[in-house]
Amino acid sequence: DAAAAAAAAPQDGGEPQASTNNGSPMLSRVRQVLDPVPRLRAKVVHGFGRGSKMLGFPTANMEVRWDLEQTPEALAPHEREILEFARSCQTGIYYAWAQVVDGKDRGVYKAAMSIGWNPTFTDVKAKTIEPWILHDFAEDFYDCELRIVVCGYVRPEIKFDKFDDLIVAIKEDGAFCGSALEAAPAAALAG
């Protein structure tokens, strides 16, 4: 259940700043396994268009029905679950398994997932859930259903003063998440 899964996730904290050394972010990353493991599903929607166009990392923006936050009884169970998870989990980077269940490519792939306010940018009005699926898809999969198994927490979200530092951090997050998903217990959750 989403409430138990969100309770297992680290809770929201402050907004740390990135420290740099020679222009490269120095971030502390951990493999904090989540128990129970949140299993979320949502429609892939258009985001701000920054992931692939500006940063070079295409993300799949998961629909979170903030518009119905005050009337959760109007939501389908899976919509309530992702809303509850987004509302109560700590912002930051997570490692996860991802599958586009009704797309042409239905493989299960590693993902580095950002949950939060994207503090480097100032136009985000609601918490977002944006997995960067570590796989090259042949085509877009907007409006398809994306399923995510959130295996663990990596680090809090951070405001970067320079885009170059953000890009380095995202690359490092992807490598860290890929490695974390190869280890137990996350590796067993891929199927």
Side-chain angles (χ1 to χ4, degrees):
D1 119 307
Q11 299 304 304
D12 245 335
E15 183 182 292
Q17 299 289 314
S19 61
T20 60
N21 179 25
N22 299 329
S24 175
M26 293 181 8
L27 302 175
S28 175
R29 291 176 176 86
V30 298
R31 290 183 189 174
Q32 183 175 339
V33 175
L34 301 186
D35 185 21
V37 174
R39 295 173 186 271
L40 306 171
R41 64 185 177 114
K43 179 171 73 170
V44 176
V45 296
H46 289 272
F48 290 94
R50 289 188 282 255
S52 59
K53 292 183 182 103
M54 182 185 291
L55 301 171
F57 306 97
T59 58
N61 295 273
M62 298 182 78
E63 182 178 47
V64 179
R65 297 296 310 267
W66 294 109
D67 58 321
L68 295 176
E69 182 178 21
Q70 301 307 316
T71 54
E73 65 280 356
L75 296 170
H78 72 277
E79 291 173 319
R80 276 194 304 273
E81 289 174 4
I82 196 164
L83 175 63
E84 180 58 33
F85 183 78
R87 194 168 32 197
S88 58
C89 75
Q90 180 176 342
T91 60
I93 307 303
Y94 290 77
Y95 53 99
W97 292 105
Q99 180 186 34
V100 181
V101 294
D102 55 351
K104 289 188 177 181
D105 183 341
R106 296 179 185 178
V108 176
Y109 300 109
K110 298 173 183 177
M113 187 166 70
S114 171
I115 301 177
W117 301 96
N118 302 324
T120 300
F121 303 95
T122 58
D123 56 351
V124 178
K125 305 296 183 220
K127 231 178 189 181
T128 63
I129 299 179
E130 302 178 62
W132 168 32
I133 302 172
L134 306 175
H135 173 75
D136 291 326
F137 286 87
E139 57 189 53
D140 289 337
F141 46 88
Y142 292 112
D143 296 318
C144 290
E145 180 180 303
L146 180 62
R147 292 190 182 176
I148 296 285
V149 177
V150 187
C151 300
Y153 175 80
V154 176
R155 66 167 179 86
E157 67 178 344
I158 295 170
K159 178 174 176 47
F160 292 90
D161 293 321
K162 296 189 277 182
F163 287 129
D164 288 346
D165 289 346
L166 174 60
I167 289 167
V168 169
I170 294 170
K171 285 180 185 173
E172 291 173 352
D173 289 336
F176 186 91
C177 290
S179 175
L181 290 161
E182 291 172 3
L189 297 173

